[in-house]
Amino acid sequence: MMKNIWIISFDGVAISGIITEALKLAAVLKEKGFHILLDLGYDIKTDKGNLGKPYEALRCYFPDWVELARTADIRSLCDYNINFLNFVFREVNSIGKINLIFSDLYKRIEKISDELSSNICEYWNRENISYIVVENGTLPENVIFTKALYKAIDIYGRELNLGKFVIWRDHDLMWSSETAVQKYGNAPYHNAVKPVLSPFIQYVTLHEAAAWKLKQWAGADIDLSVLPNTYNFKHCENSGFVRPMLKIKSTDVVLTRPTRIIPQKRIDRDIHLVSHLRQRFATQGRETYLLVVGDTNENKHCTAALKLLADQLGLTKNILFLGGLPFILEKHNNHELSVQTIILASDAVSFLTSYDYDSYGNPIGEAISLAKCYLTTRYEYYDAVYGDQGYLAPVMEITKYQDGLPDETFIDDVYELLNSPEKMRAYAKFNHQLGQKYLSDQVLHKFCNFFK
């Protein structure tokens, strides 16, 4: 009998770093003989505007062996709608509200989460689910769904007399996501559902700094492992067609920004950087481009503002928005764009994110694994993930309080690197070799021994 694994992302979008990591895990599990069912979490996050939207049109972003699965029948839940979910989010983010266990709101949350947990269990039983992977379930975006999921795990595990059958992986936590604006309030984070002690759940986080803080908050007794995001250091996609397709010369300078197009990612920094670089490389007869790979419809106001900025700086033809793309193509017999082919066709990957938004920084790891240079900000967790290991790159110094545009020092560093093919090759080779030690997906293969 086919063993089925259900993966759910609380991200609520089809293309993101979290989905990319879920697919890497899924690919290893497919090799082990599992069938993959993936729920994108459209019925969890309300701020993405995707609640209730069908998945059918998204098939092109995923391999044939991934089944997009709509888990819960939210239409059968009378109170589970965007207005109530937004109301709950506002209320629970008023510190401590969720702990008022005798309030009417708390009773409603419990009632709906009970109904939803039954709904989820019915789906798991119907699909004969063997293992479950929860991606980013702890953030208090939707405490109703989080509570329901914990309840369903407990019910399902006891009914089937299971051992550990759940991986609960947190990519972002309250203290690593938009702390400058205190999106999730302050410690001790009463607005979030703490990880529960469960005989069925193996908790996972991405690095030691996050693991330490998670145990400080949730308790040292939770079963917690560290699994860094990992990357395939063997690439085979043909990228020679990319520059001709985009009408970019082989001698031109190309930066790639694979990212969600939202204000927190600070793509405006890349545009300003390209403006400065373009002036310098123009003296050599070389044009400078930025390829932005991300869904332009996720935040249309942000996309419009970035395009306006490009126009104002005279970069209309230099900043190319390529839309959402699959990370990697399984078939290589045609000239289709993917995130990987774009990176391979570029000189460097840019990741000038906000200080407090990213807890890992996948584009850096992707650049390292593909033997490409990268440039980055020193965001809060950069050193914990990459910097302390010794990777070589231009780094824009920022802080929680000084998080502005690229300064002359950083621009000079980037120009010096991009203007020296020898230095670029040396950086890329050094980082690639170092990354094989720390970032290889062999770590992921060993971790997947959890799935029997």
Side-chain angles (χ1 to χ4, degrees), residues 42-302:
Y42 275 22
D43 297 332
I44 299 174
K45 294 286 289 291
T46 60
D47 61 331
K48 301 298 191 297
N50 290 328
L51 196 75
K53 286 187 178 179
Y55 291 162
E56 283 74 13
L58 306 172
R59 277 266 15 122
C60 60
Y61 296 120
F62 299 94
D64 295 341
W65 45 265
V66 171
E67 178 182 345
L68 295 181
R70 206 47 164 269
T71 305
D73 180 12
I74 61 172
R75 294 170 299 178
S76 66
L77 306 171
C78 60
D79 272 340
Y80 198 92
N81 55 65
I82 192 166
N83 291 331
F84 184 63
L85 293 178
N86 284 336
F87 172 73
V88 171
F89 179 67
R90 289 193 301 269
E91 288 298 299
V92 300
N93 278 282
S94 299
I95 301 299
K97 287 268 187 175
I98 196 63
N99 283 343
L100 300 178
I101 61 174
F102 299 110
S103 69
D104 289 339
L105 174 60
Y106 187 87
K107 292 173 184 176
R108 286 181 72 188
I109 289 173
E110 290 298 319
K111 179 177 181 295
I112 300 169
S113 65
D114 284 342
E115 294 172 357
L116 183 56
S117 68
S118 297
N119 200 309
I120 294 170
C121 281
E122 288 176 10
Y123 173 83
W124 291 346
N125 277 298
R126 185 169 65 250
E127 297 295 332
N128 191 31
I129 299 300
S130 302
Y131 290 96
I132 291 164
V133 179
V134 180
E135 303 282 13
N136 234 31
T138 299
L139 286 178
E141 306 284 1
N142 186 334
V143 296
I144 293 175
F145 207 103
T146 299
K147 281 176 168 286
L149 203 47
Y150 274 123
K151 291 173 181 178
I153 288 167
D154 192 63
I155 293 168
Y156 193 74
R158 294 185 188 284
E159 284 183 349
L160 275 66
N161 194 29
L162 300 174
K164 285 193 185 299
F165 72 103
V166 179
I167 295 294
W168 189 293
R169 177 164 58 171
D170 282 308
H171 301 252
D172 302 295
L173 290 154
M174 289 68 69
W175 46 83
S176 61
S177 184
E178 299 185 78
T179 53
V181 296
Q182 295 187 330
K183 182 177 181 181
Y184 300 112
N186 294 309
Y189 307 106
H190 293 302
N191 49 338
V193 181
K194 283 187 180 182
V196 303
L197 288 174
S198 169
F200 309 118
I201 302 176
Q202 171 69 61
Y203 293 99
V204 174
T205 193
L206 305 187
H207 47 76
E208 293 292 348
W212 184 84
K213 286 193 174 183
L214 182 55
K215 286 207 168 191
Q216 288 288 307
W217 176 62
D221 292 335
I222 66 167
D223 191 352
L224 179 63
S225 296
V226 173
L227 174 65
N229 288 350
T230 60
Y231 307 90
N232 186 344
F233 280 70
K234 298 176 183 177
H235 52 86
C236 58
E237 283 198 270
N238 167 35
S239 61
F241 67 93
V242 173
R243 289 197 180 208
M245 176 185 286
L246 300 176
K247 296 181 172 57
I248 296 173
K249 296 177 183 177
S250 60
T251 54
D252 289 337
V253 177
V254 178
L255 299 178
T256 287
R257 184 73 196 266
T259 186
R260 291 170 57 200
I261 304 176
I262 56 177
Q264 299 93 320
K265 295 290 187 178
R266 292 304 304 266
I267 303 172
D268 61 306
R269 288 173 171 161
D270 299 88
I271 295 174
H272 280 283
L273 176 63
V274 167
S275 179
H276 289 283
L277 294 174
R278 187 188 184 208
Q279 296 174 31
R280 300 190 185 192
F281 282 111
T283 63
Q284 304 174 20
R286 303 170 70 188
E287 201 44 280
T288 306
Y289 293 91
L290 174 69
L291 310 182
V292 182
V293 183
D295 184 359
T296 55
N297 293 314
E298 180 179 346
N299 188 321
K300 293 182 180 179
H301 294 296
C302 182

Side-chain angles (χ1 to χ4, degrees), residues 3 5 25 28-29 32 34 131 164 167 202 227 441-452:
K3 295 179 289 186
I5 287 187
L25 175 62
V28 178
L29 296 175
K32 293 172 69 73
F34 288 95
Y131 290 96
K164 285 193 185 299
I167 295 294
Q202 171 69 61
L227 174 65
D441 60 4
Q442 290 306 308
V443 177
L444 182 59
H445 280 265
K446 291 179 182 178
F447 180 80
C448 285
N449 291 331
F450 173 89
F451 303 92
K452 304 279 194 304

